[in-house]
Amino acid sequence: MSNLPHEPEFEQAYQELASTLENSTLFQKHPEYKTALKVASIPERVIQFRVVWENDKGELQVNRGFRVQYNSALGPYKGGLRFHPSVNLSILKFLGFEQIFKNALTGISMGGGKGGADFDPKGKSDSEIRRFCVSFMRELSRHIGADTDVPAGDIGVGGREVGYMFGTYRAVRNRWEGVLTGKGGAWGGSLIRPEATGFGLVYYVQHMIQYASGGKESFKGKRVAISGSGNVAQYAALKVIELGGTVVSLSDSKGALIATDAAGFTPEIIDQIANIKLNRQALTEFSDPKYQYIEGARPWTHVGKVDVALPSATQNEVSGEEAKALIDAGCKFIAEGSNMGCTQEAIDAFEDHRRAVKDQAIWYAPGKAANAGGVAVSGLEMAQNSQRLVWTAEEVDDRLKQIMKNCFENCLETAKEYVSPAEGEFPSLVAGANIAGFSKVAAAMREMGDWY
């Protein structure tokens, strides 16, 4: 609408979903769902507030805080908090919109939301971060609760920040409840939560590989390019190595780190990188002759022949040209560890190749399905908090594996039903994820009278 501000990230996410639904048979079978899309595309509530805090010099600072409570048809709003200078309503609306359908695909009772602030934690002291978190949560605490809205971490928000915010919520509201996920293990956190997104991503792709090969192949022997170097990338890399694959790249916002040795990255090297990132330093701090750092680059055009690509850094990190480079490099599987990691041009290139080359093509999985493991284990953390129980790492990991298996099969079968693939063609997982997630939310909204 002409009276609304331009929101490019949100508009991209909306158009990607809408075009998928329109190009399927969903609206033919359920024409009333067009109305559901109009309703679901508008958040139930958008909260914006100022965050006033004091730096170590005693100077007053102010930032903008946000929470987009997008859809609660399937459960309490659920989605992360992002602290980054790029944060604005367009980015948070895109993330919250995606979160609705991602959460639906987990099978756990969670709605969708997202929040954060345009605060940059880089270069800040622990005391400054604590003071910011306290001020931020004093306002946000009015709008969240274990049965209302349960935020988690995201970019710039890790265990330290969650701890500061949980402590503030507990003091302000005089309640101990599972209001945040990603908590410390000694005070309500779940085992496997830090690993969950990366592990779940690899579990999802494992099912893609097994389906495409008729059960004959796995990650064993595969060359895997990964972007990012945070939790998602680190744990995806470790799981790939555990399953017999070779990780050939990682990256950060300043450049890409490429393995020049056939052995690729080792768990020991990944541990070194994790420590660098824990200290909020760039990959330029890492030095080893077996790894080449390329400043200002992303990995995709520098890794040579690869079998699997896992973008795990941020949105729009694979362009149309880079998508074609991955196809030319023989990549057979690409799945987003980040949210909306591929541009629309990249997705179009992957989907065109899937249709043209059939079962020899690259096969693309969107983030709302492939990286759902993180929020799935957040949902499991909520369940443990409600029961005042702690499950073992093995229990949580087994549940995560089952959730990712169910998610893959749901996307696969839904794609077959609503976007019939041609002979020898892989089903469209992006179509399957979009239709399966949207249909579940739309049906729940209708039964509650949100639209009719």
Side-chain angles (χ1 to χ4, degrees):
M1 294 175 66
S2 60
N3 66 320
L4 297 178
H6 180 48
E7 297 178 328
E9 293 86 1
F10 169 68
E11 289 165 17
Q12 179 185 341
Y14 173 82
Q15 289 300 330
E16 191 264 319
L17 177 82
S19 63
T20 297
L21 302 180
E22 289 164 358
N23 291 322
S24 73
T25 61
L26 179 68
F27 289 157
Q28 296 173 27
K29 295 180 179 179
H30 301 283
E32 70 277 11
Y33 277 11
K34 289 184 179 180
T35 302
L37 179 58
K38 291 180 183 178
V39 176
S41 67
I42 300 175
E44 293 175 6
R45 191 174 296 105
V46 176
I47 300 155
Q48 182 172 344
F49 51 94
R50 67 187 178 205
V51 185
V52 182
W53 58 284
E54 194 176 87
N55 67 16
D56 287 341
K57 297 177 182 179
E59 299 167 337
L60 202 67
Q61 306 291 312
V62 62
N63 288 94
R64 292 174 176 85
F66 305 89
R67 188 65 178 171
V68 179
Q69 296 178 332
Y70 225 115
N71 193 293
S72 58
L74 297 181
Y77 306 106
K78 187 81 191 80
L81 296 170
R82 176 175 293 193
F83 292 169
H84 192 273
S86 67
V87 163
N88 57 38
L89 270 179
S90 176
I91 288 175
L92 294 180
K93 283 179 66 179
F94 127 61
L95 291 168
F97 189 66
E98 290 274 291
Q99 197 78 49
I100 302 167
F101 311 113
K102 178 191 299 187
N103 292 357
L105 290 171
T106 68
I108 299 173
S109 296
M110 298 181 291
K114 206 74 177 186
D118 58 0
F119 168 77
D120 189 356
K122 289 183 179 178
K124 304 293 192 300
S125 69
D126 280 355
S127 293
E128 288 174 323
I129 289 172
R130 178 179 55 80
R131 287 194 290 272
F132 177 84
C133 288
V134 169
S135 182
F136 179 85
M137 182 50 75
R138 281 187 182 279
E139 177 58 34
L140 186 65
S141 64
R142 303 165 185 261
H143 310 287
I144 62 175
D147 297 314
T148 304
D149 184 351
V150 184
D154 193 78
I155 294 172
V157 178
R160 172 180 57 176
E161 291 77 15
V162 168
Y164 292 152
M165 287 190 284
F166 186 84
T168 304
Y169 180 90
R170 181 173 55 85
V172 170
R173 297 289 298 272
N174 194 27
R175 294 174 66 92
W176 195 110
E177 58 183 359
V179 70
L180 287 158
T181 56
K183 299 187 292 298
W187 44 277
S190 175
L191 295 169
I192 308 294
R193 178 60 191 91
E195 300 92 333
T197 308
F199 280 12
L201 173 66
V202 174
Y203 295 153
Y204 191 96
V205 176
Q206 181 88 320
H207 289 296
M208 294 172 68
I209 296 171
Q210 290 173 345
Y211 180 89
S213 66
K216 297 177 183 177
E217 296 181 22
S218 67
F219 268 99
K220 189 173 183 180
K222 298 283 190 297
R223 281 175 56 86
V224 182
I226 301 176
S227 67
S229 49
N231 267 5
V232 180
Q234 291 168 27
Y235 288 115
L238 290 171
K239 183 58 70 171
V240 166
I241 294 167
E242 179 187 321
L243 295 176
T246 300
V247 175
V248 298
S249 69
L250 293 172
S251 70
D252 65 7
S253 60
K254 297 184 181 299
L257 190 63
I258 311 296
T260 58
D261 186 275
F265 285 79
T266 65
E268 292 75 22
I269 292 296
I270 293 169
D271 187 54
Q272 289 182 41
I273 290 170
N275 286 329
I276 288 171
K277 288 296 156 181
L278 190 63
N279 291 322
R280 299 184 179 275
Q281 296 174 310
L283 283 180
T284 49
E285 297 296 317
F286 177 81
S287 180
D288 188 304
K290 293 181 180 178
Y291 303 88
Q292 179 188 10
Y293 185 79
I294 306 174
E295 188 174 354
R298 295 186 290 222
W300 318 121
T301 59
H302 300 280
V303 288
K305 184 186 183 303
V306 292
D307 303 293
V308 180
L310 303 176
S312 303
T314 189
Q315 67 265 17
N316 290 330
E317 55 174 310
V318 183
S319 68
E321 288 184 3
E322 289 167 322
K324 292 172 185 174
L326 284 170
I327 291 170
D328 292 342
C331 185
K332 295 299 183 186
F333 306 94
I334 178 164
E336 294 173 334
S338 54
N339 293 308
M340 205 166 70
C342 299
T343 64
Q344 190 58 55
E345 292 76 17
I347 296 170
D348 291 344
F350 297 140
E351 288 291 275
D352 288 347
H353 195 256
R354 178 185 61 81
R355 286 186 286 265
V357 188
K358 307 217 183 298
D359 62 2
Q360 296 304 307
I362 195 167
W363 202 12
Y364 162 73
K368 63 171 61 74
N371 70 36
V375 75
V377 173
S378 281
L380 299 180
E381 182 176 326
M382 291 164 65
Q384 292 170 78
N385 290 168
S386 295
Q387 298 177 74
R388 301 294 193 267
L389 295 175
V390 178
W391 298 333
T392 65
E394 291 76 18
E395 285 179 293
V396 177
D397 197 33
D398 285 345
R399 290 172 189 264
L400 173 60
K401 288 176 181 176
Q402 188 62 50
I403 287 169
M404 299 313 294
K405 179 176 185 290
N406 293 344
C407 182
F408 171 76
E409 291 175 350
N410 188 9
C411 295
L412 190 75
E413 296 307 317
T414 301
K416 290 178 181 178
E417 179 180 354
Y418 291 100
V419 189
S420 300
E423 184 69 29
E425 183 180 289
F426 292 137
S428 171
L429 293 177
V430 62
N434 283 335
I435 297 166
F438 172 78
S439 297
K440 183 173 182 179
V441 174
M445 290 172 65
R446 186 177 193 185
E447 290 173 14
M448 295 178 192
D450 291 353
W451 65 277
Y452 44 86

